[in-house]
C-alpha cells in the first residue's frame, strides 16, 4: 500500500477546500453531512483510519481510541481539545492536534460583540422593537451599562483572552486578569493588564469574560459563590466551554439580579440549553459560533487537514497538543 492510500475519516461536513487537499493522497471516508457519527457508526467509519479530521463536538473517549489500532492522529477543527481523552490518546501513541491562532481574532471579536450586546441591551431592544412595543420612550428606556471606561476582568490571558483585552483597551477599559500563571511583563505592559486574584477580579470587574480551557480544575469554575462576589451591575461573557460555568447558577444569578446579564455562546450539554436560561430577558444566547466566520472556519478546516496530511507524509503536524508523542515516536530515516 502506498502512503497516498492511507485511510482518512472526516467525521462531519467541512469546507470543500479541506476535502480537496486529500484528493489522490488518501482513501477518504467523508461524512458529508451535519449529523454527528455516533457510537457503533463512528467506530465503523473510524476503523482502519490513520487520520481523523473532526469538529470538537465529536467525542473520542479512551474506549473508542483503544479500538482504533491504526489511528495515528486526531485533527480537531477547533482550538479546544476537551472532546478527546488526550492522556489516553498519548498512551496509545495517537497524536492530537488543534487549530490555534487562525481563530483568535474572530473569537475575540465575537466575545466583544456579546459584551456590547449584553451591556447595551441590544438584542433585548431589537426584540422590543420587532414585537411592536415601541410606542414611546422614557428617560431610562432600555438603559444599559456603559462599556467605555469600565473594568474588564479576563480569566485566562492566553491568545484569545489577550485579544479581548486589546479590544477592551480600545474602549478605554481597565483590564484585570487572572490565570494559573502570570503573563510576561511585556504582555502585561502591552495590554495594561493587572494580575489579580480570582476573588478580586470577580469583585471589581464590570464585565467578566472567560477564556480558560475546560479541564478538571475549571469545571464549574464560576458557580453560585462566584456570582455572589460579582457586582449587581456586572455581566458575564462565556465563549470558552459551557461546563466552566454552572448553568443553573447563571440562571439564578441573572433571575435574582445578582448580576445584570450574561452573554453565552457555549453550554453544558450542547446543543441542549438549560430551559431556565431561555426565559431570561437580559441574556444573549448564541449556538457556539464564536469562531464562525467564513474565512476562519475555512482556515480551521484547512489547518486540520494539513495536520493529517503531515502525518501521512511522515512530517510533524503544525499544531500538536501532545507533541511528546511525536518526539518519542521512532522515525523512519
Ligand atoms: C474551538 O475552537 O474550540 C471552538 O469552540 C470550536 O468550535
Amino acid at each position: 500500500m502506498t502512503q497516498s492510500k492511507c485511510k482518512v475519516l472526516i467525521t462531519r461536513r467541512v469546507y470543500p477546500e479541506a476535502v480537496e487537499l486529500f484528493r489522490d493522497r488518501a482513501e477518504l471516508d467523508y461524512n458529508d453531512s451535519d449529523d454527528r457519527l455516533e457510537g457503533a457508526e463512528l467506530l465503523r467509519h473510524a476503523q482502519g483510519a490513520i487520520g481523523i479530521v473532526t469538529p470538537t463536538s465529536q467525542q473520542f473517549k479512551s474506549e473508542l481510541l483503544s479500538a482504533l489500532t491504526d489511528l495515528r492522529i486526531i485533527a480537531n477543527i477547533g482550538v479546544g481539545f476537551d472532546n478527546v481523552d488526550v492522556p489516553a490518546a498519548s498512551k496509545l501513541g495517537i497524536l492530537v492536534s488543534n487549530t490555534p491562532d487562525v481563530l483568535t481574532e474572530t473569537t475575540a471579536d465575537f466575545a466583544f460583540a456579546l459584551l456590547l450586546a449584553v451591556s447595551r441591551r441590544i438584542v433585548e431592544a431589537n426584540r422590543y422593537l420587532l414585537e411592536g412595543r415601541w410606542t414611546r420612550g422614557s428617560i431610562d428606556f432600555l438603559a444599559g451599562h456603559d462599556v467605555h471606561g469600565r473594568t474588564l476582568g479576563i480569566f485566562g490571558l492566553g491568545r484569545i483572552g489577550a485579544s479581548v483585552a486589546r479590544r477592551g483597551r480600545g474602549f478605554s477599559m481597565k483590564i484585570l486578569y487572572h490565570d494559573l500563571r502570570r503573563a510576561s511583563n511585556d504582555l502585561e505592559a502591552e495590554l495594561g493588564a493587572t494580575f489579580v486574584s480570582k476573588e478580586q477580579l470577580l469583585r471589581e470587574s464590570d464585565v467578566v469574560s472567560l477564556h480558560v480551557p475546560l479541564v478538571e480544575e475549571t469545571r464549574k469554575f464560576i458557580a453560585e459563590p462566584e456570582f455572589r462576589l460579582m457586582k449587581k451591575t456586572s455581566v458575564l461573557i462565556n465563549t470558552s466551554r459551557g461546563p466552566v460555568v454552572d448553568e443553573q447558577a447563571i440562571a439564578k444569578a441573572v433571575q435574582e439580579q445578582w448580576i445584570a446579564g450574561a452573554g453565552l455562546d457555549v453550554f453544558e450539554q450542547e446543543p441542549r440549553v438549560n430551559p431556565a436560561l431561555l426565559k431570561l430577558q437580559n441574556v444573549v444566547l448564541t449556538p457556539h459560533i464564536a469562531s464562525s466566520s467564513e474565512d476562519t472556519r475555512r482556515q480551521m478546516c484547512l489547518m486540520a487537514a494539513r495536520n493529517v496530511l503531515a502525518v501521512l507524509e511522515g512530517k510533524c503536524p503544525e499544531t500538536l497538543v501532545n507533541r511528546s508523542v511525536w518526539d518519542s515516536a521512532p522515525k523512519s530515516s
Side-chain angles (χ1 to χ4, degrees), residues 55-57 77-82 99 103 107 160 239-241 265-266 288-291 297 300:
T56 57
S57 49
I77 305 171
V79 69
F81 44 88
D82 47 279
T99 59
L103 50 66
T107 306
I160 298 172
T239 52
S240 63
R241 284 292 183 265
D265 184 51
V266 286
H288 202 147
I289 54 164
S291 65
R297 283 285 165 93
M300 290 162 70

Side-chain angles (χ1 to χ4, degrees), residues 269-326:
Q269 291 178 342
E270 296 173 6
R272 187 182 162 273
V273 177
N274 189 320
L277 291 171
L278 301 175
K279 298 192 197 109
L280 302 169
Q281 285 294 315
N282 40 345
V283 295
V284 176
L285 310 175
T286 51
H288 202 147
I289 54 164
S291 65
S292 189
S293 73
E294 293 269 344
D295 284 348
T296 292
R297 283 285 165 93
R298 184 177 292 106
Q299 290 310 321
M300 290 162 70
C301 292
L302 283 167
M303 184 179 252
R306 282 199 306 271
N307 282 335
V308 169
L309 280 173
V311 170
L312 298 189
E313 290 164 5
K315 297 184 192 139
C316 182
E318 266 176 87
T319 51
L320 288 177
V321 303
N322 58 353
R323 167 87 205 209
S324 58
V325 173
W326 174 266

Side-chain angles (χ1 to χ4, degrees), residues 211-224:
H211 302 286
V212 295
L214 176 63
V215 290
E216 246 358 88
E217 298 70 35
T218 58
R219 234 168 241 285
K220 296 205 194 296
F221 182 70
I222 305 289
E224 274 202 36

Side-chain angles (χ1 to χ4, degrees), residues 21-330:
L21 280 189
F22 291 106
R23 185 194 282 273
D24 301 329
R25 295 160 94 177
E27 174 202 322
L28 195 60
D29 181 349
Y30 178 30
N31 176 30
D32 185 11
S33 132
D34 294 324
D35 292 327
R36 224 185 301 206
L37 294 174
E38 304 281 3
E41 203 191 358
L42 173 59
L43 177 60
R44 185 165 56 78
H45 283 276
Q47 215 51 272
I50 301 286
I52 296 180
V53 174
T54 186
T56 57
S57 49
Q58 191 87 50
Q59 297 290 317
F60 290 90
K61 301 219 161 39
S62 86
E63 196 188 6
L64 172 63
L65 294 172
S66 307
L68 302 177
T69 47
D70 297 301
L71 189 59
R72 299 277 318 284
I73 178 165
I74 297 177
N76 257 350
I77 305 171
V79 69
F81 44 88
D82 47 279
N83 59 313
V84 182
D85 185 337
V86 178
S90 301
K91 257 192 221 143
L92 293 161
I94 299 170
L95 302 165
V96 180
S97 66
N98 65 346
T99 59
D101 300 319
V102 286
L103 50 66
T104 299
E105 300 302 329
T106 302
T107 306
D109 282 348
F110 197 85
F112 218 81
L114 284 179
L115 183 166
L116 289 167
V118 179
S119 301
R120 298 303 310 275
R121 301 173 65 181
I122 291 172
V123 174
E124 199 184 333
N126 178 248
R127 199 160 42 222
Y128 187 91
L129 189 146
L130 293 180
E131 287 169 0
R133 294 162 62 200
W134 186 25
T135 53
R136 57 178 187 164
S138 64
I139 193 67
D140 57 354
F141 186 41
L142 287 163
H145 295 288
D146 282 332
V147 171
H148 68 274
R150 295 180 93 213
T151 299
L152 171 59
I154 294 183
F155 280 114
L157 200 71
R159 300 177 189 87
I160 298 172
S163 288
V164 171
R166 282 184 196 101
R167 282 156 181 75
R169 291 277 277 173
F171 278 70
S172 310
M173 297 182 88
K174 175 179 171 186
I175 313 293
L176 303 179
Y177 80 98
H178 181 77
D179 207 328
L180 279 184
R181 259 173 291 141
R182 205 170 156 164
S184 67
N185 291 342
D186 285 353
L187 187 62
E188 283 189 358
E190 183 216 323
L191 303 175
T194 307
F195 180 79
V196 292
S197 68
K198 179 178 179 183
E199 290 69 26
Q200 188 179 348
L201 187 148
L202 291 165
R203 275 200 191 94
E204 294 182 11
S205 299
D206 298 300
V207 177
V208 173
S209 193
L210 301 174
H211 302 286
V212 295
L214 176 63
V215 290
E216 246 358 88
E217 298 70 35
T218 58
R219 234 168 241 285
K220 296 205 194 296
F221 182 70
I222 305 289
E224 274 202 36
E226 285 75 21
F227 283 117
R228 288 200 181 272
L229 291 178
M230 290 172 68
K231 296 183 187 180
K232 277 189 179 318
T233 50
S234 67
V235 304
L236 177 82
I237 306 299
N238 190 10
T239 52
S240 63
R241 284 292 183 265
V244 169
V245 183
D246 181 334
E247 225 159 67
Q248 202 58 40
I250 310 180
K252 190 168 175 187
V254 174
Q255 173 77 39
E256 298 184 6
Q257 298 176 11
W258 306 350
I259 65 171
L264 310 173
D265 184 51
V266 286
F267 302 89
E268 277 182 23
Q269 291 178 342
E270 296 173 6
R272 187 182 162 273
V273 177
N274 189 320
L277 291 171
L278 301 175
K279 298 192 197 109
L280 302 169
Q281 285 294 315
N282 40 345
V283 295
V284 176
L285 310 175
T286 51
H288 202 147
I289 54 164
S291 65
S292 189
S293 73
E294 293 269 344
D295 284 348
T296 292
R297 283 285 165 93
R298 184 177 292 106
Q299 290 310 321
M300 290 162 70
C301 292
L302 283 167
M303 184 179 252
R306 282 199 306 271
N307 282 335
V308 169
L309 280 173
V311 170
L312 298 189
E313 290 164 5
K315 297 184 192 139
C316 182
E318 266 176 87
T319 51
L320 288 177
V321 303
N322 58 353
R323 167 87 205 209
S324 58
V325 173
W326 174 266
D327 291 337
S328 59

